[in-house]
Amino acid sequence: MYTLLSGLYKHLTQHDEYCVVILGLDNAGKTTYLEAAKANLDKNYKRGDPKRVTATVGLNVGKIDTAGITIQFWDLGGQTELQSLWDKYYEECHGIIYVIDSYDRERIEESKEAFDKMVRNELLSKVPLLVLANKQDLPECMGVREVKPIFNQSAHLIGSRDCMVMPVSALTGEGISEGINWLIDCLKRNSDIRPPKSSDS
Ligand code: G3D
């Protein structure tokens, strides 16, 4: 009886947990995005002033319970010297969110180079990839129509993994839920290849 009840309790309280790494150059908007994702998807989360978010220097973590699963986000620093740490997280992650500053035309090539280095890594070969053209609220920014062809040049590196480029504004929240919902479908579909962990709710 005890075993039956404890099995039922576990079934009710345990969630599948997926780890998602948020990458991109410094100033792309990773930390602002994580805050916006928490505010959009976690009903109990109270978002502070998005303009007062401090840039990712080391690692920010965040957990969201949504769509019957738990997502553990790791938001990693994007400065050149910190990019060498990105691959330490590849083996354990289930999905990648790559954030682009669509307003910064001067650094788009640098962002593409960091992206290429990331997708070339064998440890990520089957991992779903959500590419976010961030800062769409700024009038002079590059739209998805401009950003997509740049990153599509890496189609041979991306291969057959799930990959989507989406417009987003971490500041206003536009496009946040759509992106996360797309990623959740991919994570679940990919769970034979990268099985989730269990977490207590
Ligand atoms: P990072 O974590 O990738 O380093 P941050 O980047 O989240 O710290 O954001 C860097 C700057 O970009 C911040 O401005 C932040 O407010 C701004 N930002 C992030 N997302 C958006 C967006 O969608 N639209 C606009 N307009 N700005 C955004 P500051 O002024 O604090 O440097």
Side-chain angles (χ1 to χ4, degrees), residues 105-152:
R105 289 169 194 273
E106 279 183 17
R107 295 186 77 196
I108 192 75
E109 266 311 313
E110 185 188 342
S111 178
K112 164 81 166 42
E113 277 166 27
F115 175 86
D116 282 358
K117 187 165 180 218
M118 170 197 73
V119 280
R120 244 187 223 113
N121 194 304
E122 277 293 308
L123 293 172
L124 291 180
S125 66
K126 300 268 181 346
V127 173
L129 182 55
L130 174 61
V131 181
L132 298 175
N134 190 31
K135 307 201 183 179
Q136 291 298 310
D137 57 291
L138 294 173
E140 301 294 314
C141 75
M142 292 172 275
V144 166
R145 275 216 224 149
E146 205 175 334
V147 169
K148 210 170 172 176
I150 299 173
F151 285 79
N152 267 352

Side-chain angles (χ1 to χ4, degrees), residues 25-32 55-56 134-135 137-138 169-171:
L25 297 186
D26 51 296
N27 209 47
K30 298 178 294 298
T31 311
T32 311
T56 319
N134 190 31
K135 307 201 183 179
D137 57 291
L138 294 173
S169 167
L171 207 58

Side-chain angles (χ1 to χ4, degrees), residues 21 27 37-39 44 50 61 67 77 138 153 170 197:
V21 181
N27 209 47
K38 288 195 269 190
N44 298 319
V61 291
L138 294 173
Q153 291 165 14
K197 300 178 192 158

